[in-house]
Amino acid sequence: MPDYTGQTVVSPIGMPPSRAGAWLHRFANPGRFQRLVQPVLPFLAAFAFVVTVTGLVWGFFFAPADWQQGIASRIMYVHIPAAWVAMNGYAALAICSLLSIVWRHPLADIAAKEIGPVGAGFTALCLISGSLWGRPEWGTYWVWDARLTSVLILLFLYLGHMALIRAFDNPQHGYRAAAILGLVGAVNLPIIVFSVYWWNTLHQGNSISVTGPSKIYITMLYPLIISTVGFYLAFAAMSLGRISSGIMENRARSLLLAQAERGGA
Amino acid sequence: MIKHVLPYVVGSYGAAILILGFLALTSLLRYRAARRRLAAVEPRSRRSDGSDHGRQGVKS
């Protein structure tokens, strides 16, 4: 049976389908996704804009300068949130790839396809802001340091995924190949996180820990948290909007194909 | 040690505004174009924006 993509729906691997698989299929139904997302999306986008602007304005104008780095530390309010969103965005892409490979759900394919460009944008922002931070602090824009190199590889993984998913005439082939790349590339995430401990790097270690106390003073931590929340909300709003657009485009394409087939019959 | 750090700080915030603004703008324009296109092909989508296609398959 042709689905909204105009492609024949492939049954999930394994018969009978597992309870988890059935739950995922019910939850990830494109129609349900649209009904859930479309009413929320304008509010999410507006909220993301307000929170991001608040975090950046607070960081740029009102956060105190670091006693060692001076005002260069204000780059932190762009660089750190962008790095976190870049890594967690790839984690989301890898989860979508897993769902695509195991359950072959078309919504996971569309999500992986649409997360890619957004994640690549945040990764590029992380690298650019990091270079601009490195120049006054390290005396250079770039070093082949383990942390910097692994984040550069993350950008290449995003770009490779974007290219691969669009490289085939049959979209299903692109989705399968890109899903494998997305899963394999996830091995880079722990390398990024632990690179500063496994190798001697110019890049500093983590200043913020979920389990332990923060090394950042509270007046600098608050704008960082707000900026981070804003970046995550922006990532969510842009990704959900693009996924919703992808679903509508596929729906329109399948309707046009059906009309053309009826006209030709 | 570089004394004039402000251009680097401004540059990083400028990059944030440019990249996030570009992503947001392209996402918004694509979303609006997809809505218009679907509405043109499927008039009932003016009401539901394609949200009913999970229940109604395309007959071929």
Side-chain angles (χ1 to χ4, degrees):
Chain A
M1 175 185 166
D3 69 347
Y4 61 93
T5 64
Q7 303 292 326
T8 302
V9 174
V10 181
S11 299
I13 296 172
M15 293 294 290
S18 66
R19 179 178 286 185
W23 179 81
L24 274 171
H25 272 262
R26 194 166 57 246
F27 185 73
N29 175 285
R32 185 165 292 142
F33 176 86
Q34 294 287 65
R35 284 194 297 279
L36 284 173
V37 165
Q38 291 203 334
V40 176
L41 201 51
F43 300 102
L44 180 64
F47 189 52
F49 178 78
V50 169
V51 176
T52 304
V53 168
T54 304
L56 292 181
V57 167
W58 191 348
F60 189 83
F61 291 107
F62 304 109
D66 184 71
W67 72 280
Q68 276 185 317
Q69 299 188 22
I71 61 169
S73 66
R74 288 182 175 148
I75 297 175
M76 161 174 82
Y77 305 108
V78 172
H79 178 70
I80 295 177
W84 283 343
V85 171
M87 284 193 296
N88 287 308
Y90 196 88
L93 190 150
I95 290 169
C96 290
S97 299
L98 181 69
L99 295 176
S100 169
I101 289 174
V102 175
W103 284 286
R104 298 197 174 185
H105 202 288
L107 188 60
D109 293 326
I110 296 174
K113 185 179 179 183
E114 303 303 341
I115 285 171
V118 182
F122 278 95
T123 312
L125 177 59
C126 169
L127 288 168
I128 291 168
S129 58
S131 293
L132 290 170
W133 199 357
R135 177 68 180 133
E137 297 305 319
W138 301 339
T140 180
Y141 288 105
W142 185 264
V143 285
W144 292 102
D145 166 283
R147 170 62 70 85
L148 276 68
T149 307
S150 54
V151 174
L152 183 65
I153 291 170
L154 181 69
L155 178 64
F156 291 154
L157 284 169
Y158 270 123
L159 296 178
H161 186 274
M162 288 164 59
L164 195 57
I165 209 165
R166 293 164 175 82
F168 295 86
D169 290 334
N170 184 344
Q172 297 301 321
H173 294 167
Y175 291 145
R176 294 289 85 73
I180 293 168
L181 175 66
L183 263 185
V184 172
V187 77
N188 190 42
L189 295 178
I191 293 175
I192 293 173
V193 173
F194 295 110
S195 57
V196 289
Y197 303 112
W198 290 344
W199 294 284
N200 289 320
T201 59
L202 197 55
H203 194 286
Q204 68 181 66
N206 296 336
S207 300
I208 297 173
S209 168
V210 177
T211 53
S214 169
K215 295 174 187 168
I216 297 179
Y217 193 59
I218 201 79
T219 52
M220 299 167 88
L221 188 61
Y222 281 148
L224 180 61
I225 290 171
I226 290 175
S227 186
T228 302
V229 171
F231 273 42
Y232 273 113
L233 289 171
F235 176 83
M238 288 187 277
S239 300
L240 290 175
R242 292 175 70 97
I243 293 167
S244 185
S245 305
I247 291 172
M248 287 190 283
E249 286 166 1
N250 287 342
R251 172 69 175 161
R253 194 177 303 120
S254 65
L255 283 170
L256 286 172
L257 280 172
Q259 285 176 10
E261 284 179 8
R262 276 200 301 272
Chain B
M1 180 73 181
I2 293 174
K3 289 181 181 176
H4 302 291
V5 176
L6 189 60
Y8 298 99
V9 182
V10 172
S12 66
Y13 278 75
I17 292 166
L18 279 178
I19 291 175
L20 296 188
F22 174 77
L23 285 173
L25 190 65
T26 53
S27 302
L28 178 67
L29 291 177
R30 190 176 157 206
Y31 183 80
R32 291 173 64 178
R35 277 187 80 142
R36 273 202 307 272
R37 188 176 177 203
L38 184 59
V41 177
E42 185 187 44
R44 69 173 180 273
S45 69
R46 292 178 203 280
R47 193 178 60 247
S48 62
D49 297 310
S51 62
D52 56 350
H53 63 257
R55 289 169 293 178
Q56 299 176 20
V58 179
K59 292 176 183 173
S60 58

